[in-house]
Amino acid sequence: MNNLFMKASVLEAVNTPFIFKDVTKPIPQVNEVQVKLYAAALNHRDIWIQKGQYAGLKFPIICGSDGCGVITGIGEHADAKWLNQEVVINPSINWGDNSRVQARDYTILGLPENGTFAQYVCVPEHLVHQKPAHLTVQHAAAIPLAGLTAFRVLFSRAKAIAGETVLITGAGGGVALFATQFAIAAGCRVYVSSSSDAKIEQAKQLGATGGANYKTADWNKTLAKESGGFDVIIDGAGGEGFARLTDLAKPGGRIGVYGATQGNWNSGIPARTFWKQLDILGSTMGTPHEFVEMLNFVSKQRIVPVIDSVFSLDETETAARYMDGGNQYGKIVIDIES
Ligand SMILES: NC(=O)c1ccc[n+]([C@@H]2O[C@H](COP(=O)([O-])OP(=O)(O)OC[C@H]3O[C@@H](n4cnc5c(N)ncnc54)[C@H](OP(=O)(O)O)[C@@H]3O)[C@@H](O)[C@H]2O)c1
């Protein structure tokens, strides 16, 4: 192929498939580096964008927030030390100076800027970090967005500490799985909820103490009895089930909220929330400092992300439909080189 072009999986409009095609290869601008991607990974965000259920849509767009690759180009003022280094990319762009909340011009790699479902991507130099040495490129590519989200909501917002009892809802989700691995590594006593008994068993293999199937009628009562209640609950589902989480929290408990896969909270129990002095803590992505802390934690604890399946770049649409089906346990990775 001509050196001016590359292969990418492109979304050209709402509710259309990812199209594998030739597009112009990006050239690094001032303070940017060019990354030749080895592997990318899917997040639910890519599906929301495809379905038109995400703010700030623009087309055509190369989605993909997670990537691991090698630096092949250096823009003006970027440090040449990065050339040939294997890196992971922090997808959090323009967080700003306030660690409590992102800046107004904050964005996430993969919309509005082109992302990692491509052979090359250009990003600001400060977003690239050395690949954790103990991980393969596919494992490293699985980390960025979900790992960062899980790290902030669990540790910075909900302040989970060793010895506390933690519930992670929707064990099969990408963020939920990192939250499970991180909480176990931090010495918490971890329970999960899931639509699948098999996924609960897989969480136990990772070190979770127990779990309950949220498709069963009294799952919360079973879990309350088994666990004795939760100091920390991490939820990405929202929806009708959220009210039960305020029941499950111990007095003084913290509920970290990072997603709304099941939609809005149409019910809730304010009295439980105030009488039990609960903290409900919203969390999105994380700061540049948290990204570095998360990578250090992953390296120190030798955490290996769980990969459910690997697709090639020309199979991105198949991978997206698979994620939409919700049957995965672990990250869905795109091997860019195959
Ligand atoms: N705020 C942020 O920065 C941020 C970052 C990443 C993701 N998110 C959001 O967080 C959500 C999850 O993202 P993801 O990429 O981790 O998605 P994902 O990998 O597709 O996971 C979705 C999971 O949600 C679980 N789920 C579905 N219905 C549920 C229910 N009623 N109760 C409990 N769990 C339920 C399922 O778990 P089981 O298969 O175990 O049933 C499913 O695997 C999405 O809404 C996404 O947009 C937000």
Side-chain angles (χ1 to χ4, degrees), residues 77-152:
H77 302 317
D79 194 333
K81 75 167 188 194
W82 284 110
L83 261 182
N84 302 318
Q85 299 287 317
E86 286 189 344
V87 295
V88 291
I89 304 166
N90 178 358
S92 244
I93 304 173
N94 300 333
W95 179 279
D97 299 331
N98 185 353
S99 64
R100 284 197 54 76
V101 66
Q102 67 274 27
R104 285 178 73 88
D105 61 348
Y106 175 77
T107 59
I108 298 171
L109 184 63
L111 179 81
E113 298 301 329
N114 279 335
T116 57
F117 296 165
Q119 288 179 311
Y120 292 86
V121 68
C122 288
V123 294
E125 175 190 8
H126 63 87
L127 297 182
V128 294
H129 299 267
Q130 296 281 351
K131 175 181 85 65
H134 72 292
L135 295 179
T136 66
V137 294
Q138 290 187 1
H139 283 118
I143 293 179
L145 187 147
L148 177 62
T149 305
F151 191 87
R152 177 174 169 91

Side-chain angles (χ1 to χ4, degrees), residues 177-298:
L177 194 34
F178 276 108
T180 303
Q181 288 183 287
F182 291 174
I184 291 167
C188 302
R189 183 169 159 254
V190 177
Y191 288 78
V192 298
S193 73
S194 178
S195 57
S196 150
D197 293 345
K199 292 182 186 181
I200 294 170
E201 279 313 308
Q202 282 166 302
K204 286 192 198 164
Q205 300 288 318
L206 289 174
T209 303
N213 189 322
Y214 62 75
K215 295 279 184 195
T216 58
D218 284 332
W219 67 271
N220 52 322
K221 289 185 184 155
T222 316
L223 210 50
K225 215 166 154 190
E226 246 187 68
S227 65
F230 295 96
D231 301 293
V232 170
I233 299 176
I234 302 297
D235 182 55
E240 288 297 331
F242 186 79
R244 292 184 170 191
L245 303 184
T246 54
D247 284 345
L248 282 165
K250 283 183 188 169
R254 295 92 75 196
I255 304 179
V257 174
Y258 66 88
T261 299
Q262 290 299 318
N264 291 338
W265 305 328
N266 296 320
S267 60
I269 309 172
R272 295 258 204 297
T273 306
F274 65 71
W275 191 251
K276 288 164 80 174
Q277 312 269 1
L278 301 182
D279 284 337
I280 296 180
L281 302 150
S283 191
T284 283
M285 301 292 285
T287 66
H289 179 65
E290 283 162 337
F291 191 82
V292 172
E293 281 194 317
M294 183 273 293
L295 287 182
N296 290 341
F297 184 80
V298 164

